[in-house]
Amino acid sequence: MNKINLICIQCPMGCPLTVTIDEGIVTNVCGNTCKRGEIYARKEVTDPTRIVTSTVRVTGGDTPVVSVKTRTDIPKGKIFDCMRALKDVSVSAPVHIGDVVVSDIAETGVDMIATKNAL
């Protein structure tokens, strides 16, 4: 039996969570004050994911870079692959919020989208 301590990030409460794992299976989550905390804890210890944010270069626009993020969360183990894939990316202006900057970033099935306009 293994116990993992986490701080829940699903709401501003920041509940201290204790997750009990037995033979790779979550058997108990305690410390959460809402259901979201339990869902977060189970996912975080079995299949952690993250939203990745960064910037990419813009050519011909009113700003040299534009902020981007993954449309949804990606496996935590793919973060560095995602960042390497963005290293040499450059887009031409105009770029609008929600535009796909890179499709299927790092073979995750998730698009990298613009979060700012660059005109």
Side-chain angles (χ1 to χ4, degrees), residues 1-4 6 17-22 25-32 37-38 41-42 45:
M1 189 175 312
N2 188 17
K3 290 192 178 201
I4 298 173
L6 303 168
L17 307 174
T18 301
V19 183
T20 306
I21 301 174
D22 192 10
I25 297 173
V26 175
T27 57
N28 188 41
V29 175
C30 62
N32 56 300
E38 181 177 353
R42 289 179 180 277
V45 299

Side-chain angles (χ1 to χ4, degrees), residues 66 76 94 101 104:
V66 67
K76 188 176 176 183
V101 174
D104 188 21

